[in-house]
Amino acid sequence: MSKENKNTPKKQHLIHYENGKSLEEINGTVPVPHGKGFWKTLFAFSGPGALVAVGYMDPGNWSTSITGGQDFQYLLMSVILLSSLIAMLLQYMAAKLGIVTQMDLAQAIRARTSRTLGIVLWIMTELAIMATDIAEVIGAAIALYLLFGIPLVWAVFITVLDVLVLLLLTKIGFRKIEAIVVALILVILFVFTYYVILSKPDWGAMAKGLIPVTATFSKHLSVNGYTPLAGSLGIIGATVMPHNLYLHSSISQTRKINHNNKQDVADAVRFTTWDSNIQLSFAFVVNALLLITGVAVFKSGAVKDPSFFGLFRALSDTSVMNNGILAKVAKTGVLSTLFAVALLASGQNSTITGTLTGQIIMEGFIHMKMPLWMRRLVTRLLSIIPVLICVAQTASYSAVRQHEALNNLMNNSQVFLAFALPFSMLPLIMFTDSKTEMGSFKNNFLVKFFGWLSVIALTVLNMYSLPDAIVGFYGDNPTAAQTSQGHLIAYILIAVVGLLLIWTVYDLYRGNEHYKKKLAANERKETN
């Protein structure tokens, strides 16, 4: 019997150690032209931005934007614009980090921190991804219920089957996955554009709303117990999500470039930034259309139930429509059906990006790899547990109360995003500000200034909104004792987050200094 060839690759277990390139199966697999025109080159680099933009228009954004429009007209339009500009800045830094260092954000953090902190940050980021997945489960299950009348329990289980869709996508190539995501984004864009065209909004008032004013962040102007500040924090929290930074730092590496050629790297950063900004502009338009829908499609204050069920019903209720044309179309059921289709498209888009991000952080933080279908199955099965518990507990309630419970679960699950966001933003700006890590590609003064301003502002706003978010777990009418208890829990969590951030900054600084000394030692050896 002949001996096994030494060059034969060793068979790997289903779950195994991995410390190679980020998403190695697709890393550097998409060829790009050299010396061609701007548009042809931009087309070759286009795609990763669409996957990132999905996170900025997922089901979690819908109710916050529509409710903001219902309660405050165009006042919060400026918050959507500011959130989008911050997103463009953060995603630019994330993509640049991946292209220049050839590491994704999770790998970069792990390389500069201790093993213990790496595990802590991995668990925190996994919880944030699960929280995002809960919103996707609820959105997709409700869409199936609304479109086909499938009972919610069965609809929740059916969402697990999207793993089969993912299995198919892994066989057709990354470029085709990007095309499918773009197609689904266009479906969402079409639906809400159609709504807005029929509603004939006040474009002057909308343009005026793009300019932030003092009232935008007011705590005193209250509509239905909801203040502009709460609405602003809800929109910001639903828009800027930590997993997108990990995702973009990885998939920006899917283009095949010569990293030894500085001009090739610079071109990759440039065109990837164009792609990202164009796609995030589409995300801004979708979120703006959602807010306009709340203002112009429905009569002011007419939508009492901002859940997906309530919005679906309202879109077929002629009495709440803002004009006769809308009422006529609503009567046919077209508006409500299109809403459910867009909701399903949004959920499926998030399925693709959420699974890729889960694999990125698992490989980056703890160097563990499993097949994408298994990763999706595990995450989705864990995510459906709280949704099933919520559905089971409210089975005997009225339909309205059950719908409110699901809506509250979705909103409350987003609290984990407030914890995870600073731990992705802070390392990102520290890495991209560092000449040791980035060389001549480090952030210039303007990027550095607005980057730190965004990181500090978002961290403070997230922590500021945390007490009210924790109290939200007690229901719509918490007692004084529950409110006090919720605030105490929030302040303890804020203190824990603060200490973890200090630990993270210290470890990153120490790791960067160690890497700087290592580079200096290597340079001395080469000189000698």
Side-chain angles (χ1 to χ4, degrees), residues 13-34:
H13 297 288
L14 204 60
I15 302 174
H16 58 273
Y17 177 85
E18 181 67 49
N19 193 21
K21 293 181 178 179
S22 181
L23 292 180
E24 196 161 10
E25 299 90 343
I26 58 175
N27 193 295
T29 58
V30 180
V32 293
H34 293 275

Side-chain angles (χ1 to χ4, degrees), residues 455-525:
V455 169
I456 293 169
L458 286 175
T459 301
V460 170
L461 285 172
N462 270 303
M463 294 303 104
Y464 180 76
S465 64
L466 193 58
D468 289 339
I470 297 296
V471 172
F473 281 89
Y474 292 101
D476 294 331
N477 299 298
T479 63
Q482 289 173 331
T483 300
S484 298
Q485 187 180 54
H487 285 175
L488 177 62
I489 293 170
Y491 296 141
I492 292 171
L493 290 174
I494 290 170
V496 170
V497 168
L499 291 172
L500 277 174
L501 280 174
I502 293 171
W503 183 12
T504 303
V505 170
Y506 171 74
D507 256 23
L508 290 174
Y509 175 78
R510 189 178 62 175
N512 189 62
E513 289 298 304
H514 177 74
Y515 182 53
K516 190 188 295 185
K517 289 176 183 177
K518 186 178 178 181
L519 287 178
N522 290 338
E523 286 178 4
R524 283 196 298 270
K525 283 182 182 179

Side-chain angles (χ1 to χ4, degrees), residues 297-299 302 312-333 335:
V297 172
F298 308 108
K299 292 176 182 176
F312 181 83
R313 281 196 307 272
L315 286 166
S316 57
D317 184 354
T318 57
S319 67
V320 301
M321 294 292 111
N322 216 11
N323 63 45
I325 297 174
L326 281 166
K328 189 175 180 180
V329 179
K331 194 174 182 180
T332 66
L335 296 183

Side-chain angles (χ1 to χ4, degrees), residues 35-63:
K36 302 296 181 181
F38 175 85
W39 294 108
K40 190 170 184 178
T41 307
L42 178 60
F43 178 76
F45 276 95
S46 296
L51 273 72
V52 169
V54 164
Y56 293 95
M57 58 179 95
D58 72 348
N61 293 61
W62 291 32
S63 64

